[in-house]
Amino acid sequence: MHLERLSKNGDPLEVLSTTVDFEYFRDWLVEGLGYGDVSKGGRPPFDPVSMFKVLILQAQHNLSNAKTEFMIRDRLSWIRFLGFELSGVTPDENTIRHFRNRMTETGTLKRVMKAFDWQLKKKGYIPMSGQIVDATLVPAPKQRNTEDEKEAVKAGKTAKEIWPDEPSKAAQKDTNARRTLKIGGKLRYRQDGTPLPQIALPVFGYKSHICIDRRFDFIRGCHVTSAVDADGRQLKHVVT
């Protein structure tokens, strides 16, 4: 009943589902992610096409991994679009982060986003009214490394190089995230007209850069960097 009313009122995600053939990306996603044979045991991974849709929703709404996890559980339209069941298991923030990292490392994200953009253009969604570029900080779990380990991370060493004798520990460590300061809050002024200092909050993680068409609100390009990377330098990666 609720889903029928959503459709009657005009669910934009239904339009997106009919506009883009998401199954077209399946082989690339499976190849890039390197999913193993789940028949040998263990909990099977989430459907890669559904996970790619998660990234689309996350980018369109500028959400952190934790907020994306909540929204998937909270919104009926999202659950239907992603192909999940109301009573079933949905991806948590760690699963979302791991999926994005894996897609980025293998180059799959860039490849699939180009194909996504090609489908939009083929259906007539051409960016003729300008594009909006934005960047969102995506927090990552604190690593709690020692001073020596922190220096090794700054030097560019991989987790396997830093913890060669602890493969399980290395698999859980994130050596790509970086720390930055987020300047936020509304700009306030003193009585004499001089501005008050703004609040600076430390953030450890990544930065998601996206480019959205102003007319159709579709994502034209995306790029993921560490949190410390400058926004302006990523324009060549996201503007189409």
Side-chain angles (χ1 to χ4, degrees), residues 137 176-179 205-207 209 224-230:
L137 288 170
N176 296 313
R178 293 293 184 270
R179 190 175 301 280
Y206 295 87
K207 189 178 291 184
H209 309 264
V224 179
T225 66
S226 69
V228 75
D229 286 43

Side-chain angles (χ1 to χ4, degrees), residues 152-231:
V153 171
K154 292 179 180 179
K157 292 186 178 181
T158 64
K160 291 182 179 180
E161 292 174 332
I162 300 173
W163 298 278
D165 301 324
E166 301 176 89
S168 297
K169 183 177 182 179
Q172 300 180 35
K173 287 293 185 178
D174 188 341
T175 59
N176 296 313
R178 293 293 184 270
R179 190 175 301 280
T180 188
L181 290 176
K182 179 181 180 181
I183 309 298
K186 184 178 180 180
L187 187 61
R188 297 176 299 169
Y189 297 88
R190 299 184 179 89
Q191 292 184 351
D192 61 2
T194 58
L196 289 167
Q198 288 185 282
I199 299 175
L201 300 175
V203 177
F204 176 78
Y206 295 87
K207 189 178 291 184
S208 176
H209 309 264
I210 62 171
C211 180
I212 304 175
D213 178 67
R214 292 180 60 185
R215 178 181 178 187
F216 300 111
D217 291 333
F218 281 127
I219 299 171
R220 312 305 306 190
C222 68
H223 186 60
V224 179
T225 66
S226 69
V228 75
D229 286 43
D231 298 357

Side-chain angles (χ1 to χ4, degrees), residues 12-30:
L13 294 182
E14 279 194 304
V15 177
L16 182 58
S17 294
T18 56
T19 301
V20 176
D21 178 12
F22 284 97
E23 283 297 318
Y24 179 84
F25 312 125
R26 180 174 296 278
D27 290 343
W28 291 347
L29 293 169
V30 172

